[in-house]
Amino acid sequence: MSHYWRRRLLNYLLLGLCVACTAVAVFPLLSILFYVAVRGFQALSPEFFTQMPRPVGEPGGGMANAVAGTFIMVGLAALLGLPVGIMAGIYLAEYGRGRLADVIRFMTDVFTGVPSVVIGVFIYTVVVTRMGSFSALAGGLALSLIIIPLVTRTTEELLRMVPYTLREASLALGATKARTIVSVVLRSAAGGVVTGVMLAIARAAGETAPLLFTALSSRHWSLALREPMASLPVYIYTYAISPFRDWQVQAWGAALVLLLTVLGLNLVARAVTRSRYRY
Amino acid sequence: MPGKRLVLYGERAFGALTLGFALLVLVLIGGMVYYLIQGAAPALAEFGWRFLVSRRWDAVHEVFGALPFIYGTIASSLLALVLAVPLGVGAAVYLAELAPPWIRTPLSFMIELLAAVPSVVYGLWGLFVMAPWLRAVVEPWLERHLGFLPLFRGPAFGVGILAAGVVLAIMILPTISSVSREVMLAVPDSQREAMLALGATRWETTWKVVIPYGRSGIIGAVILGLGRALGETMAATMVIGNSLNMSLSLFHPANTMASIIVNEFAEAVTRLHTAALIEIAFILFLVTLILNVLARLLVWRVARGPRGLRRE
C-alpha cells in the first residue's frame, strides 16, 4: 500500500500548494488596500478637494486642480471614445462578416495590448508637436485610445448575448435592421454595455503614462482645453518620486481618492451585471 | 412612398456609420505604426542595428544605444514570469478545480480587482512598502544564500530590477490566473471523470489531464502576461531605480524601455534624442504586438477546442 499512500500524500501536498498559491496571490491586494487606506486616510481632509497645491514646505493645500483635471480629461475621453467604441462594437456584432470583420476584431484585441506609454508617445508626435504645446485636449485623446478597444470588444460580446429570437420578433413586426439594433438589441443589452463603459472609464481614470507627454501637469487652476492640465495619476507619480516628505504623504491621499474612484466604478459595474444579466 | 426611401437611406447610413467607426480602429493602428516610424527615422538612419546592441546612452554627445534598457526590460519581465507563472497557474488550479463556489466567486473577484488597481498605485506601494522590505529582508537573505551567483550580488538598494520584477509579477498575476482558470473550466468534465474512474487522485487528474488539455491556452495566458509585463510603465518606472548603467545584478538599479521613455521624453531637447526614444517606443510596440498576436492565436485555439469535443 505504500505506493497508494505516496500518491495520496502527493495529492494533498500539491493541492495544498495550490491553495497556498491562491493565498499568496491575494495577499498583495490586501496589502495595497491596507496601506493606501491607512496612509491615504491620514493624508486626506476636505481641503484636498477644495485647495490648490502649495509650494514645498508650506503645510496643507490640496489637489483641487488635479481632481477637476482628471474629471475633465476622462470626460473628454469618454465623449470621444464611447461613440467610436460602441458603433464599432455594433458593426462587429451585427454587420461584420468575413475577413474584414475578423481583421478588425483581431486588431481591436491587439490594440488593447498596446503599452499605454506608446499611446502617449503616439499622441505626442501627432497632436502635441502640431499644436505646439501640451494640452488637456491631447490628454483626453490619449485616454480615448485606451477606452476605444475596450468598449468595442465588450459591446460586441454583449450584443452577441442578446437572443436571436428578439431580433426576429422585431424584424417580423416590420422594423428595419437599424431600428431593430437601436431599439431592441442595444436596449436589451444596455445594462451590460453600461457596465463595459464604466470599466473602460475606470481604466482610463487610472492611467498615467498616456498623460505624461500629452497633458503634462499644471500647478494652477486651469480649465482650458488648449493648455496643460493636472490630473490625479500624474500628481501621484510626481509627488511619490519627489524627495519631500509632505508631498509623499499627499501622494498617498491622492492614491486613496483614485483607488476609491476606480474600485468603486468596478464594484458598481459588476454589481449591475450580476443582478440583471445572467444569460 | 417617399418615406420608404428615406428609411432605406437611414438604414444604409447607419450600417456605413458603424463600418466607418470600426475602420477607425484599423486607421489608428496604422497611424501609430506610421507616426512612430516617422518620429524614429532620424535615429534609425543614424544608428541602424547598432541601436539594439550598443550600451552607450549619452544625451550630451548624442550617442544612443538601447541595450541597457532592453536588458532591463527582459530581466524584469522574465523575473516577473518566474514568480507569477507558478503562482498564477496554482491559483487557477485551486479556483477551477477545488474551490467550492462560495469561495471561488469572491476569490476570483478579488484577483480580478488586482487588475483594476491603477499602475501608479502599484508604483507608490512598491516604492514605499515593498522596496524597503526587499532591502531589509529579501535582498540580504538572497545574497547570503545565493550570493555565489552574480545575479544576487552587490549592495541592496531596495529599488532595482528585483523590485521591478516583483511588482510586475503582482500585476500580471490576475491576467495569468484568470485566463488559465477560464481555460481549465473549458476542459470537458468527461475528461476528468474518465481519469477519476481509472482511480487517479485529484492532483493526477489535474496534472495529467486538465493542464495538458489546456496547455496551449495556458501558454497563451503566460504570453499575454509577458506582453503586459514588457509594456508596463509606471510601476516599473517608480521602483526600478532609473540608472543608465547596465549591471548583471538584480539588486542594481536599471531602466526598462518604458521607464527610459517616461524619464527622458519630456526633457529631450535634441531631435536625435527624441527620435531615439520614439524608436524605443516603436520597438516596444512591435514586440508587444507580436506577443499579443501569438497569445490570442493560442487562446483562441483552445477556446474553440479540438474538433468534435466542443461543448455547445
Side-chain angles (χ1 to χ4, degrees), chain B residues 39-56:
Chain B
L44 283 167
E46 178 79 23
F47 306 115
W49 291 107
R50 257 180 311 144
F51 190 74
L52 299 177
V53 291
S54 162
R55 289 172 64 162
R56 186 147 170 237

Side-chain angles (χ1 to χ4, degrees), chain A residues 70-81:
Chain A
T70 287
F71 263 100
I72 292 171
M73 284 191 285
V74 172
L76 191 63
L79 209 64
L80 296 168

Side-chain angles (χ1 to χ4, degrees), chain A residues 12-13 17 29-30 33 39 41 46 77-78 89 112 130 135-137 183 186 202 209 219 222 243 261:
Chain A
Y12 287 121
L13 202 74
L17 214 58
L29 178 68
L30 298 178
L33 291 181
R39 295 203 182 170
F41 194 71
T112 48
R130 259 174 227 184
S135 65
L137 196 64
S183 315
L186 208 53
R219 311 242 347 128
S222 160
T261 313

